[in-house]
Coordinates of all heavy atoms in Angstrom, one line a residue:
L90 N 101.9 98.7 103.7 CA 102.0 97.9 104.9 C 102.2 96.5 104.7 O 103.1 95.8 105.3 CB 100.8 98.2 105.9 CG 100.7 99.6 106.5 CD1 99.4 99.7 107.2 CD2 101.9 99.8 107.4
V91 N 101.5 95.9 103.7 CA 101.7 94.5 103.4 C 103.1 94.2 102.8 O 103.7 93.2 103.2 CB 100.5 94.0 102.4 CG1 100.8 92.6 101.9 CG2 99.2 94.0 103.1
A92 N 103.5 95.1 101.9 CA 104.8 94.9 101.3 C 105.9 95.1 102.4 O 106.9 94.3 102.4 CB 105.1 96.0 100.2
L93 N 105.7 96.0 103.3 CA 106.7 96.2 104.4 C 106.6 95.0 105.4 O 107.7 94.5 105.9 CB 106.3 97.4 105.2 CG 107.3 97.9 106.3 CD1 108.7 98.2 105.6 CD2 106.8 99.2 106.9
A94 N 105.4 94.4 105.6 CA 105.3 93.2 106.5 C 106.0 92.0 105.9 O 106.4 91.1 106.6 CB 103.8 93.0 106.8
G95 N 106.0 92.0 104.6 CA 106.7 90.8 103.9 C 108.1 90.7 104.3 O 108.7 89.6 104.3
T96 N 108.8 91.8 104.6 CA 110.2 91.7 104.9 C 110.4 91.0 106.3 O 111.5 90.6 106.5 CB 110.8 93.2 105.0 OG1 110.1 93.9 106.0 CG2 110.8 93.8 103.7
C97 N 109.4 90.9 107.1 CA 109.5 90.2 108.3 C 109.8 88.7 108.1 O 110.3 88.0 108.9 CB 108.2 90.3 109.1 SG 108.0 92.0 109.8
F98 N 109.4 88.2 106.9 CA 109.7 86.8 106.6 C 111.1 86.6 106.3 O 111.6 85.5 106.5 CB 108.8 86.3 105.4 CG 107.4 86.1 105.7 CD1 106.4 87.0 105.3 CD2 107.0 85.0 106.4 CE1 105.1 86.8 105.6 CE2 105.7 84.8 106.7 CZ 104.7 85.7 106.3
L99 N 111.8 87.6 105.9 CA 113.3 87.5 105.6 C 114.1 87.6 106.9 O 115.0 86.8 107.0 CB 113.7 88.6 104.6 CG 113.1 88.5 103.2 CD1 113.5 89.7 102.4 CD2 113.4 87.2 102.6
R100 N 113.8 88.5 107.7 CA 114.7 88.8 108.9 C 114.0 88.3 110.2 O 114.7 88.0 111.1 CB 114.9 90.3 109.0 CG 115.7 90.9 107.9 CD 116.2 92.2 108.3 NE 117.1 92.1 109.5 CZ 118.4 91.9 109.4 NH1 118.9 91.8 108.3 NH2 119.1 91.9 110.5
G101 N 112.7 88.2 110.2 CA 112.0 87.9 111.5 C 111.4 89.2 112.0 O 112.0 90.3 111.7

Side-chain angles (χ1 to χ4, degrees):
L90 289 172
V91 169
L93 189 60
T96 59
C97 291
F98 286 105
L99 297 177
R100 296 196 60 89

